[in-house]
Amino acid sequence: MLQILKRNPLAAAIAVLMHLVIILLLVFGVDWLNPPEQPKSTIQVVQARVIDEAKVREQVQRLKEDDARQAEAKRTTREKEEQRLAELKRKQTQERQRLAELEKQRQVEDRKREEAKKQRLEEERRKKTAEQQRLQAEKAQKAAEAKQQAEEQARKEAETKRIAEQKKREEAAAKKAAEAKKRKAEAEKRRKAEEARLKAEAEKKRKAEEAKRQAEAAQKAREAELLAAMEAEHNARERDRYIIQISQKVVRSWLRPAGISDGLKCTLRVRLAPGGSVLAVSVIKGSGNGAFDRSAEAAVLKADPLPVPGGTLFEQFRDINFEFDPNKK
């Protein structure tokens, strides 16, 4: 509270003054302990021997009205005073609220200033650290550049020395190369002569072997062609034989539907597993009669398993097409 008074002396003085005014009004303004005094009558009593009763009643009525007006005036004065006191209390409450709000704003501003101070100190510390890091980086960079220059100078000196030695070696090597070239030319001449002789002999031998290989290859090709033709003919005969057996077995398993005329036939596609098991059957060329086509499919399923060859020839029977013609003998 002392801090509030120190920061807002004018508001504190106004509040104290208002409290003193209220206390004075309460002490001197209204006497609540004494009952209200009756106003002294200003009516002069006239001694009369004859009393007019109507006038007496009128006089009494005026006295009552005066008393009522005085009581009303006092009541109005009291109500106004009460309203004034209530207004003072309201203003005091508002003043306390305003002071509390000012204190709250001061605390918020203090926190903001403290936070700003912390941020400023942190920013200064960060800048100082960054500056130190920059100086260290510059120092390290200068040291690295000096080291690099020293290394570059040493490299140049070493390169100059190396070039001189290389030139000396190259001159010696050139002399040796000339001598070696001469010896090499003579050796190359002898080598080419020997190579030509060996090449001629090798070519002669190669041609003889090539002729022999061609003759043997031609003989093997004729034999392989003959064997392939014989195998193909055999496989064709076997395939036709098994197709006939399949067709016959399917025809034997066929049940003629009622009302089917003679002369109908259709082409079936059958997928088979090793051993002749029927995997699927379908009509690829119908007879024009649905009942006949369905009976042909049923006959294939009823004839399962179908006769098929073994070995590599079976691969030709995994998916076969054959004509179903129950009229064929």
Side-chain angles (χ1 to χ4, degrees):
M1 181 61 73
L2 290 176
Q3 294 179 356
I4 297 174
L5 294 175
K6 289 179 180 180
R7 286 192 298 270
N8 300 280
L10 180 60
I14 294 173
V16 171
L17 182 61
M18 290 178 66
H19 281 79
L20 291 175
V21 171
I22 293 170
I23 292 171
L24 291 174
L25 289 173
L26 291 174
V27 173
F28 300 104
V30 180
D31 188 1
W32 301 101
L33 298 176
N34 296 324
E37 296 179 354
Q38 293 292 335
K40 295 180 179 181
S41 176
T42 58
I43 301 174
Q44 296 179 358
V45 179
V46 180
Q47 298 293 331
R49 293 179 180 179
V50 178
I51 298 173
D52 190 345
E53 187 177 353
K55 290 182 178 180
V56 171
R57 286 196 299 271
E58 182 179 355
Q59 185 68 25
V60 171
Q61 182 65 28
R62 282 199 299 273
L63 291 174
K64 289 182 179 180
E65 290 177 355
D66 290 340
D67 291 340
R69 281 194 297 274
Q70 291 178 2
E72 179 65 21
K74 288 183 178 182
R75 185 185 64 77
T76 303
T77 303
R78 186 171 61 252
E79 289 179 353
K80 288 182 178 179
E81 184 64 20
E82 290 176 352
Q83 290 177 357
R84 188 179 63 79
L85 292 175
E87 180 66 19
L88 286 175
K89 289 182 180 179
R90 186 183 65 78
K91 289 181 177 180
Q92 283 183 330
T93 302
Q94 290 179 348
E95 181 65 17
R96 285 196 295 272
Q97 291 176 352
R98 189 182 68 81
L99 292 175
E101 184 65 25
L102 289 174
E103 176 63 17
K104 186 184 295 185
Q105 292 178 358
R106 184 197 63 77
Q107 293 177 356
V108 172
E109 291 175 356
D110 289 344
R111 285 196 296 271
K112 288 182 178 180
R113 285 193 295 271
E114 186 66 22
E115 184 66 23
K117 182 179 179 181
K118 289 181 180 179
Q119 292 179 356
R120 180 176 55 79
L121 293 175
E122 179 63 21
E123 182 65 20
E124 291 177 355
R125 185 192 64 77
R126 187 186 63 77
K127 289 181 178 180
K128 185 177 180 181
T129 302
E131 182 64 19
Q132 291 176 351
Q133 292 176 351
R134 185 185 66 78
L135 293 175
Q136 291 176 357
E138 288 181 354
K139 184 177 179 181
Q141 183 178 1
K142 289 180 180 179
E145 290 176 354
K147 182 179 178 182
Q148 184 178 2
Q149 290 176 357
E151 292 176 349
E152 182 67 19
Q153 183 64 28
R155 187 188 64 77
K156 287 181 179 179
E157 293 176 355
E159 182 67 16
T160 302
K161 184 178 179 181
R162 185 191 65 78
I163 292 173
E165 293 177 351
Q166 179 68 21
K167 184 177 181 181
K168 186 177 180 180
R169 287 194 299 270
E170 287 177 354
E171 290 175 352
K175 184 177 179 180
K176 289 181 180 180
E179 295 175 355
K181 184 177 181 181
K182 184 178 180 180
R183 291 193 300 270
K184 184 177 180 182
E186 294 175 353
E188 182 68 17
K189 185 177 180 181
R190 291 192 298 270
R191 185 190 65 78
K192 286 183 177 180
E194 182 64 18
E195 188 179 71
R197 184 184 64 80
L198 294 175
K199 185 176 181 181
E201 292 179 355
E203 182 65 18
K204 183 178 179 181
K205 185 177 179 180
R206 185 190 65 77
K207 288 181 178 180
E209 291 177 352
E210 181 66 22
K212 183 178 179 180
R213 284 197 302 270
Q214 289 179 357
E216 291 175 353
Q219 180 63 26
K220 288 181 179 179
R222 287 192 296 271
E223 292 175 356
E225 185 177 355
L226 181 60
L227 289 174
M230 292 173 63
E231 185 177 0
E233 184 179 356
H234 173 73
N235 289 342
R237 288 197 302 270
E238 285 294 301
R239 188 177 188 283
D240 292 341
R241 184 169 66 85
Y242 277 101
I243 290 293
I244 291 172
Q245 290 178 6
I246 290 172
S247 179
Q248 290 175 349
K249 186 173 183 181
V250 172
V251 169
R252 288 196 300 270
S253 301
W254 179 61
L255 296 177
R256 178 187 292 273
I260 296 298
S261 61
D262 293 335
L264 297 177
K265 60 182 179 179
C266 64
T267 302
L268 301 175
R269 179 185 179 185
V270 182
R271 288 195 296 112
L272 300 172
S277 298
V278 177
L279 299 177
V281 58
S282 60
V283 177
I284 60 175
K285 184 178 180 182
S287 64
N289 188 302
F292 176 81
D293 294 343
R294 289 191 293 272
S295 68
E297 291 178 342
V300 173
L301 296 175
K302 185 177 179 182
D304 185 11
L306 297 177
V308 294
T312 58
L313 185 58
F314 170 73
E315 295 301 323
Q316 300 183 22
F317 285 82
R318 286 188 180 274
D319 195 340
I320 62 172
N321 298 336
F322 73 93
E323 185 179 63
F324 175 73
D325 186 356
N327 302 304
K328 186 183 292 185
K329 304 299 182 180

